[in-house]
Amino acid sequence: MRVVSGIQPTGNLHLGNYLGAIRNWVRMQDEMDGDSECLFFLADLHAISMPHDPAELNSNTLEMTAALVACGLDPNKSILFNQAQVPAHAELQWLLMGTARMGWLGRMTQWKDKAGKNREGQSVALFSYPVLQAADVLLYQATHVPVGEDQKQHLELSRDIAQKFNNDFAPEDAPVFTLPDPYIPPQAARIMSLRDGTAKMSKSDPSDLSRINLTDDADTIMKKVKKAKTDPEPLPSEVDGLEGRAEASNLVSIYAALTGASVDDVLREYGGQGFGGFKPALGEVLVETLDPITSLFRGLREDTEMLQAILARGASRAREIGTPTLDAAYKALGLVRG
């Protein structure tokens, strides 16, 4: 089993990133047996498909590396690197561009959402970046890719590209690419804004009160939890009672995700109580969980040389794993190389 997954180095990680993706990465890493491995990468090549500040991208890449390690990702157990140090990602993307079809890319939901009405003004990279996503996983013969609902379409495209390439350029008994299967992480928490329970927690929200940042100290966390939007009703004793109460449901879900309890268990303990009692309890759980991460992150972020070394070591291993696949793709296409 080989798991491959990436995350854009956007900086300013928050609770939603941790509970929604990073914690599951750590869990997968720790559950791998001796014959399996995880490759996790910072998708800095994807980041340039949209307008960006070069200095900020550089800083965010190192900050994200520090955050991932602080959250429990172990460079000795997993392969952690950034795309830019493995040129094979971009090379393979170009080799796959002849296989991918305009119609396939034009149907991608994220392209439609990000491009909006100004499609003519968007970069070519924004349109074609799903082909880079395919290269990201096919390069390493990934068997499994962790996906949420918003990424299933991209994995399906990767499989379509791999299948067509194999059909067009490889013998039936010796395909160039493995078709990756989706890996649906158990209990992948969907964390919503503290100011609007119907919107995902996001760093782009103008209100810092809408999110718990991984860099927030204990006082800031408690303040944000106490100011979190709720309703005047007490917590119900059963899950059905959360119907139509988005903010209440979100806070209960966060408590459950942090403690490993079920929502039913949380409501059995706090049902009938008001938020005046529940919010301090939630704040304490948040501080207990995040304080060690925050402390470690701050120390790691100051050690630029160590962070660069982690990425360099991971990239070296990634290049080693990906080279045979890249060579096979060149050969299958009939390209002459020295």
Side-chain angles (χ1 to χ4, degrees):
M1 182 176 181
R2 180 175 286 159
V3 175
V4 179
S5 189
I7 186 170
Q8 285 211 34
T10 55
N12 197 23
L13 285 176
H14 53 70
L15 182 68
N17 301 129
Y18 174 64
L19 293 178
I22 299 172
R23 191 173 64 165
N24 279 322
W25 281 11
V26 175
R27 184 179 293 135
M28 282 186 285
Q29 159 198 275
D30 293 342
E31 291 176 353
M32 285 291 160
D33 59 36
D35 296 327
S36 303
E37 58 190 341
C38 294
L39 290 90
F40 299 123
F41 64 89
L42 304 178
D44 48 1
L45 294 181
H46 285 289
I48 66 174
S49 65
M50 298 288 284
H52 77 286
D53 179 283
E56 189 174 296
L57 175 58
N58 186 287
S59 176
N60 285 348
T61 300
L62 295 176
E63 181 176 308
M64 179 73 81
T65 304
L68 292 175
V69 174
C71 288
L73 209 64
D74 186 346
N76 295 314
K77 292 182 180 179
S78 299
I79 298 171
L80 176 61
F81 63 99
N82 60 304
Q83 286 174 308
Q85 295 200 60
V86 186
H89 284 253
E91 283 188 72
L92 185 57
Q93 179 196 21
W94 183 252
L95 298 185
L96 297 177
M97 292 285 273
T99 297
R101 291 295 180 258
M102 295 285 289
W104 297 354
L105 298 180
R107 288 193 290 271
M108 301 303 289
T109 302
Q110 287 194 9
W111 156 250
K112 295 176 182 177
D113 292 343
K114 289 185 176 182
K117 296 181 179 179
N118 185 28
R119 295 188 180 184
E120 297 296 322
Q122 302 301 324
S123 72
V124 174
L126 182 62
F127 182 73
S128 64
Y129 89 95
V131 185
L132 179 57
Q133 283 190 312
D136 293 335
V137 298
L138 299 180
L139 178 64
Y140 301 108
Q141 304 292 348
T143 61
H144 294 81
V145 178
V147 292
E149 284 297 325
D150 59 341
Q151 289 296 321
K152 284 184 178 180
Q153 190 183 32
H154 288 274
L155 183 60
E156 290 167 3
L157 177 69
S158 299
R159 290 174 58 88
D160 289 342
I161 291 173
Q163 186 66 68
K164 180 169 174 53
F165 189 101
N166 288 340
N167 290 344
D168 291 350
F169 302 111
E172 187 174 344
D173 60 346
V176 173
F177 298 117
T178 299
L179 272 62
D181 289 320
Y183 176 86
I184 310 298
Q187 299 176 334
R190 183 177 172 84
I191 305 303
M192 313 306 281
S193 165
L194 298 182
R195 308 301 294 167
D196 178 1
T198 65
K200 284 183 69 174
M201 186 174 288
S202 169
K203 83 178 192 75
S204 61
D205 192 308
S207 173
D208 192 55
L209 292 174
S210 69
R211 58 188 168 269
I212 302 293
N213 302 304
L214 296 191
T215 54
D216 287 342
D217 59 27
D219 289 342
T220 302
I221 289 173
M222 294 299 292
K223 174 185 173 183
K224 288 182 176 181
V225 171
K226 289 178 180 178
K227 287 181 174 292
K229 183 180 177 181
T230 52
D231 56 51
E233 299 299 320
L235 285 170
S237 299
E238 298 180 351
V239 175
D240 290 347
L242 292 174
E243 187 72 29
R245 300 178 64 185
E247 285 76 23
S249 178
N250 184 42
L251 296 186
V252 171
S253 296
I254 291 173
Y255 189 100
L258 290 168
T259 60
S262 68
V263 171
D264 285 310
D265 290 336
V266 177
L267 293 179
R268 270 194 290 271
E269 182 176 356
Y270 290 99
Q273 296 187 32
F275 287 100
F278 180 69
K279 282 183 174 181
L282 173 59
E284 289 176 8
V285 170
L286 278 163
V287 170
E288 182 181 347
T289 302
L290 298 182
D291 189 58
I293 293 173
T294 300
S295 298
L296 183 55
F297 167 77
R298 288 173 178 159
L300 289 168
R301 185 62 188 90
E302 297 301 315
D303 196 341
T304 300
E305 287 188 8
M306 186 187 68
L307 297 174
Q308 291 173 333
I310 288 172
L311 294 176
R313 286 198 304 269
S316 177
R317 179 68 179 125
R319 290 193 296 269
E320 180 183 335
I321 295 172
T323 294
T325 300
L326 184 65
D327 289 345
Y330 271 112
K331 183 177 180 180
L333 291 168
L335 295 166
V336 177
R337 305 174 81 202

